[in-house]
Amino acid sequence: GDSVTQMEGPVTLSEEAFLTINCTYTATGYPSLFWYVQYPGEGLQLLLKATKADDKGSNKGFEATYRKETTSFHLEKGSVQVSDSAVYFCALSDRSRSNYQLIWGAGTKLIIKP
Amino acid sequence: GAGVSQTPSNKVTEKGKYVELRCDPISGHTALYWYRQSLGQGPEFLIYFQGTGAADDSGLPNDRFFAVRPEGSVSTLKIQRTERGDSAMYLCASSLRSNTEAFFGQGTRLTVV
């Protein structure tokens, strides 16, 4: 079945460092790919998405490119801030499934130190 | 309110008791999802509603779990004869249609003691 694997955390970086959080997936259909973020005490929020191969999603300085050849959707940011500290989830939605349910990775906790 | 609202935010119950968790979706959203998230894990799909009907309940773990959405808006997740293994964060999400962005509530943390 469909699945998502993302790098284990926590990931601890200093402010202004470069961030990469790896995400790979397996899917039998044609998935859309997502990154969600959960800030402390808040609900899950969509950060960015990509719906087809080679699409790049971007938001708030974060980017991720849908790579079909490597089945990956790695999250990157050039210069992180303390306010980026949160848990980041990679997820997919397989459009061949009529319910469009999201299938999730385990989450990666990001800690940014000033 | 503008977002998805879940009540209560925390629920502690004794093993064997019955609990109800409520979700108020964003007004006008036809699709509604319930997910369960254990500590350190990503959410797992439980059930999907399109309007009033449960279009897919394949994620419900057993027949102690049931959910309704009688008027196509508010949904209630019901758990009978709770077990300690039911302890988790229960998340609700709604979307305008099934293939559009899902908006999540802050969840109900259920603890079975």
Side-chain angles (χ1 to χ4, degrees), chain A residues 6 10-11 16 18-19 21-22 27 32 37 40 44-45 56-57 61 68 79 83 88 90 95 97 102 106 110:
Chain A
Q6 59 183 108
V11 173
E16 299 184 3
F18 183 86
L19 167 72
I21 300 178
N22 290 337
S32 296
V37 59
L44 287 159
Q45 301 174 26
K56 178 185 284 187
K68 189 175 179 182
S79 176
S83 58
Y88 292 80
C90 185
R95 284 166 285 172
R97 294 173 179 262
L102 289 162
L110 176 64

Coordinates of all heavy atoms in Angstrom, one line a residue, chain A residues 6 10-11 16 18-19 21-22 27 32 37 40 44-45 56-57 61 68 79 83 88 90 95 97 102 106 110:
Chain A
Q6 N 9.8 9.7 6.3 CA 10.5 10.9 6.4 C 11.6 10.8 7.5 O 11.5 9.9 8.4 CB 9.6 12.1 6.7 CG 8.8 12.0 8.0 CD 7.9 13.2 8.1 OE1 6.7 13.1 8.0 NE2 8.4 14.4 8.5
P10 N 14.7 14.5 16.6 CA 14.6 15.9 16.2 C 15.8 16.4 15.4 O 16.9 15.8 15.5 CB 14.5 16.6 17.6 CG 15.3 15.7 18.5 CD 15.0 14.3 18.0
V11 N 15.5 17.4 14.6 CA 16.6 18.1 13.9 C 16.8 19.4 14.6 O 15.9 20.2 14.7 CB 16.2 18.3 12.4 CG1 17.2 19.2 11.7 CG2 16.0 17.0 11.7
E16 N 19.5 30.7 10.9 CA 20.1 31.1 9.6 C 20.7 29.9 8.9 O 21.3 30.0 7.8 CB 21.1 32.3 9.7 CG 20.4 33.5 10.2 CD 21.4 34.7 10.2 OE1 22.5 34.6 9.8 OE2 20.9 35.8 10.6
F18 N 20.9 26.2 6.8 CA 20.1 25.6 5.7 C 19.4 24.4 6.2 O 20.0 23.6 6.9 CB 21.0 25.3 4.6 CG 20.3 24.7 3.3 CD1 19.8 25.6 2.4 CD2 20.2 23.4 3.2 CE1 19.2 25.1 1.3 CE2 19.5 22.9 2.1 CZ 19.0 23.7 1.1
L19 N 18.2 24.2 5.8 CA 17.4 23.1 6.3 C 17.0 22.1 5.1 O 16.6 22.6 4.1 CB 16.1 23.6 6.9 CG 15.0 22.5 7.2 CD1 15.4 21.6 8.3 CD2 13.6 23.2 7.5
I21 N 14.7 18.5 5.1 CA 14.0 17.3 5.8 C 13.6 16.4 4.6 O 12.9 16.7 3.8 CB 12.8 17.7 6.6 CG1 13.2 18.7 7.7 CG2 12.1 16.5 7.2 CD1 12.0 19.2 8.5
N22 N 14.2 15.2 4.7 CA 13.9 14.2 3.6 C 12.6 13.5 3.7 O 12.1 13.2 4.8 CB 15.0 13.1 3.6 CG 16.4 13.7 3.2 OD1 16.4 14.7 2.5 ND2 17.4 13.0 3.6
A27 N 3.7 4.8 -3.9 CA 2.3 5.0 -4.2 C 2.0 4.2 -5.5 O 2.9 4.2 -6.4 CB 1.9 6.4 -4.4
S32 N -0.7 13.3 -5.1 CA -0.3 14.7 -4.7 C 0.5 14.6 -3.5 O 0.2 13.7 -2.6 CB -1.6 15.5 -4.5 OG -2.3 15.6 -5.8
V37 N 2.6 21.5 8.7 CA 3.4 22.0 9.8 C 2.5 22.1 11.0 O 1.3 22.5 10.9 CB 4.2 23.3 9.5 CG1 3.2 24.4 9.2 CG2 5.0 23.7 10.7
P40 N 3.8 24.5 18.0 CA 3.4 24.1 19.4 C 2.0 24.7 19.8 O 1.7 25.9 19.6 CB 4.5 24.8 20.2 CG 5.7 24.8 19.3 CD 5.1 25.1 18.0
L44 N -2.7 21.2 12.7 CA -1.9 21.0 11.5 C -2.3 22.0 10.4 O -3.5 22.3 10.2 CB -2.2 19.6 10.9 CG -1.5 18.4 11.7 CD1 -2.3 17.1 11.3 CD2 -0.1 18.3 11.3
Q45 N -1.3 22.6 9.8 CA -1.5 23.6 8.7 C -0.8 23.1 7.5 O 0.3 22.7 7.5 CB -1.0 24.9 9.1 CG -1.5 25.5 10.4 CD -0.8 26.8 10.8 OE1 -0.3 27.5 9.9 NE2 -0.8 27.1 12.1
K56 N 7.1 22.3 -8.2 CA 7.7 22.8 -7.0 C 6.7 23.6 -6.1 O 6.0 24.5 -6.6 CB 8.9 23.7 -7.3 CG 9.5 24.3 -6.0 CD 10.6 25.3 -6.4 CE 11.9 24.7 -6.9 NZ 13.0 25.7 -7.1
G57 N 6.5 23.1 -4.9 CA 5.6 23.9 -4.0 C 6.5 24.8 -3.1 O 7.7 24.5 -2.8
G61 N 9.2 30.7 2.4 CA 10.6 30.5 2.2 C 10.9 29.0 2.1 O 12.1 28.6 1.9
K68 N 9.6 12.4 -9.3 CA 9.0 11.1 -9.5 C 10.1 10.0 -9.6 O 9.9 8.8 -9.2 CB 8.1 11.1 -10.8 CG 7.3 9.8 -11.0 CD 6.4 10.0 -12.2 CE 5.6 8.7 -12.4 NZ 4.7 8.8 -13.6
S79 N 17.4 29.6 5.0 CA 17.8 30.3 6.2 C 16.7 30.2 7.2 O 15.7 30.9 7.1 CB 18.2 31.7 5.9 OG 18.5 32.4 7.1
S83 N 11.3 30.9 14.8 CA 9.9 30.7 14.6 C 9.5 29.6 13.7 O 8.3 29.2 13.7 CB 9.3 32.0 14.0 OG 9.9 32.3 12.8
Y88 N 7.1 18.9 11.4 CA 6.8 18.9 10.0 C 6.4 17.5 9.5 O 7.1 16.5 9.8 CB 8.0 19.4 9.2 CG 8.3 20.9 9.5 CD1 8.9 21.3 10.6 CD2 7.8 21.9 8.6 CE1 9.2 22.6 10.9 CE2 8.0 23.2 8.8 CZ 8.7 23.6 10.0 OH 8.9 24.9 10.2
C90 N 5.2 15.1 6.2 CA 5.1 14.9 4.8 C 3.9 13.9 4.6 O 3.7 13.0 5.4 CB 6.4 14.2 4.3 SG 6.4 14.0 2.5
R95 N -4.8 10.2 -5.9 CA -6.0 10.6 -6.6 C -6.8 9.4 -7.1 O -7.9 9.6 -7.6 CB -5.7 11.6 -7.7 CG -5.4 13.0 -7.2 CD -4.8 13.8 -8.2 NE -3.4 13.5 -8.4 CZ -2.6 14.0 -9.4 NH1 -3.1 14.8 -10.2 NH2 -1.4 13.7 -9.5
R97 N -7.6 7.1 -5.3 CA -8.6 6.8 -4.2 C -9.7 7.8 -4.2 O -9.4 9.0 -4.1 CB -7.8 6.8 -2.8 CG -6.8 5.8 -2.6 CD -6.1 6.1 -1.3 NE -5.0 5.1 -1.0 CZ -5.2 4.1 -0.1 NH1 -6.4 3.9 0.4 NH2 -4.3 3.3 0.1
L102 N -5.4 11.5 3.3 CA -4.0 11.7 3.4 C -3.3 10.6 4.1 O -3.8 10.1 5.1 CB -3.8 13.0 4.2 CG -4.2 14.3 3.5 CD1 -4.3 15.5 4.5 CD2 -3.2 14.7 2.4
A106 N 5.8 10.0 9.8 CA 5.8 10.1 11.2 C 6.0 11.4 11.8 O 5.8 11.6 13.0 CB 6.7 9.1 11.8
L110 N 11.5 19.9 14.4 CA 12.6 20.8 14.1 C 12.8 21.8 15.2 O 11.8 22.4 15.6 CB 12.3 21.6 12.8 CG 13.3 22.7 12.4 CD1 14.6 22.1 12.0 CD2 12.7 23.5 11.2

